[in-house]
Amino acid sequence: MKSILFAAVLFGGVLFTSNQTRLEGLAINLAPTSRQAAPHAAPFLFYAAATGALLACGTAAALAGLVREEA
């Protein structure tokens, strides 16, 4: 049960970071010059990597919880 709750928390993090990635991507796309878009590049990459990592960890935790409950 703890791993399922942990997975739910991780998937909540995925929702947050994916939304932040979307917002940073919009800021980059809507910036009129590359100089104005540059400050958004690092947060965009950070949130994109964090989204992938949280998704992988959440999936692993959910699968571990299901396997543990099946056994």
Side-chain angles (χ1 to χ4, degrees):
M1 183 67 178
K2 283 196 294 187
S3 56
I4 299 295
L5 292 175
F6 183 60
V9 169
L10 289 174
F11 283 126
V14 167
L15 293 176
F16 172 76
T17 57
S18 63
N19 188 46
Q20 292 300 108
T21 303
R22 184 183 62 82
L23 292 176
E24 292 295 335
L26 281 173
I28 291 170
N29 286 335
L30 297 176
T33 65
S34 61
R35 187 169 294 205
Q36 290 173 335
H40 299 282
F44 176 79
L45 292 175
F46 168 76
Y47 284 124
T51 301
L54 285 171
L55 188 58
C57 290
T59 303
L63 289 175
L66 291 176
V67 168
R68 214 175 275 150
E69 287 183 12
E70 287 286 326

